[in-house]
Structures are given as structure tokens and as C-alpha cells.
Amino acid sequence: EPDVFKAMPADATPRILHECHAFHGDTRYHCWITEQTIPLDEFVRDSEADKPQCTLGAFICVLRAAMHGLRLSDCAFCNFGVRCSDSAVVIIDAGSYGINSEMAQWSKKEVNKRIMHKFWKNAARAQAANPQLRQLWHKHYQLQECLDAAEALWAQQPNLRHASQSM
């Protein structure tokens, strides 16, 4: 997983702060420490969380990962996190597939088949469905144009929490 995180863009995964090997008895472990994040499944349970916006952040991560050859094996909200330093949604569990070195970028058709159907189910399970986002996904035929549209949508409201109103 640290190799995957190092190969991904900084806006898709947390930075690795330290990496080493450790032992417990005769068992050797590969260990690493990343930037602090709050798991997205926990974050969306907060009453102040803007759930559709959280889904948009995770969606952008999925697209960025796919464009760099990473197929997420599990796109449940617990595998995304909100980075504490800047509130960006990032991938905190890269899964078991790693980066596909033969295919620099997944096609939209492959992403739809292998990832997005599960992603929509996980968003609904987290009570964070975003119908506007599904329309955006169906409207665009290429990953890059879909990512550009999603990032433009994010730029309109780059916050994962509802705006607080004073009484």
C-alpha cells in the first residue's frame, strides 16, 4: 500500500510520513504512518456533514485513482478519509489490486463496470446519495471530462460541512 500511495497524486491519498519494518516476536511487519484522516463513514454521520458533498469528494478520488491506473477493490466510505490538514477527501485503503502498470488509465466503461456500481450502492448505504453526481457520470463519456466536471462542481462549494447560520 505505501508504494501505491507514493505513486498516486497528492490530492488522492494521504502523504506517508514514516515507513519502517517492525517485529513482534519472530513476525516482521511493514509499517507506515500517514497524515491524519477521519474515516469518511464516520465523518458523514456528523449532523453538520454535507453528505452529497462528501460523496462528490470520494467520487473525485475514485476518478483520480482510475486515471492513474488504480482500481479500488472496495469503495466503501470506510476506505476514504477526510484529511485533517485541509479537509480533502482521500483514499485511505488502496485495496488489493494495486496500480495496473499495463494500463495507465482505466476506461470509463471499465470503471463503471468494476467500481461505480459498487460506489453508488455504498453512497446510498451511507445515506449520502448524490443524484446530481450520477447524472454527471452518465452525461460524460471520458474519465477526464467527467473529472473536470466533478472538480468544477466541487469548486462551487469546496466544503464538506453545511454552512453554519447564526441565530
Side-chain angles (χ1 to χ4, degrees):
E1 198 160 47
D3 291 337
V4 171
F5 280 19
K6 290 175 192 172
M8 294 301 296
D11 56 3
T13 59
R15 275 185 320 126
I16 294 177
L17 303 175
H18 184 69
E19 187 176 0
C20 66
H21 291 284
F23 291 89
H24 184 261
D26 292 336
T27 306
R28 181 179 181 192
Y29 294 95
H30 185 190
C31 307
W32 60 93
I33 298 170
T34 65
E35 294 176 285
Q36 188 174 12
T37 61
I38 301 166
L40 189 59
D41 64 322
E42 293 178 23
F43 188 89
V44 298
R45 286 188 222 129
D46 186 301
S47 62
E48 292 296 315
D50 184 336
K51 293 179 182 188
Q53 193 71 1
C54 291
T55 301
L56 173 59
F59 177 79
I60 290 170
C61 280
V62 168
L63 295 182
R64 287 175 178 161
M67 293 194 62
H68 283 83
L70 177 63
R71 172 184 159 201
L72 294 175
S73 56
D74 185 355
C75 50
F77 275 34
C78 62
N79 294 319
F80 296 94
V82 178
R83 193 166 40 205
C84 294
S85 62
D86 62 1
S87 298
V89 177
V90 293
I91 297 164
I92 61 173
D93 185 344
S96 58
Y97 293 118
I99 294 177
N100 184 347
S101 57
E102 288 120 38
M103 187 182 338
Q105 177 180 321
W106 291 91
S107 69
K108 184 179 178 213
K109 179 181 176 181
E110 284 296 310
V111 171
N112 195 50
K113 177 179 158 185
R114 300 180 187 271
I115 301 171
M116 291 314 295
H117 290 294
K118 292 185 275 185
F119 181 80
W120 302 128
K121 287 179 187 174
N122 285 314
R125 199 173 292 128
Q127 298 178 342
N130 186 333
Q132 180 184 15
L133 196 54
R134 280 187 90 147
Q135 290 174 351
L136 181 144
W137 174 250
H138 292 295
K139 178 181 175 182
H140 298 283
Y141 298 105
Q142 301 294 324
L143 286 181
Q144 185 62 58
E145 65 184 24
C146 190
L147 177 59
D148 292 344
E151 288 176 336
L153 195 57
W154 177 266
Q156 292 174 13
Q157 202 281 101
N159 196 339
L160 295 173
R161 295 188 183 275
H162 294 290
S164 298
Q165 297 179 359
S166 62
M167 295 291 179

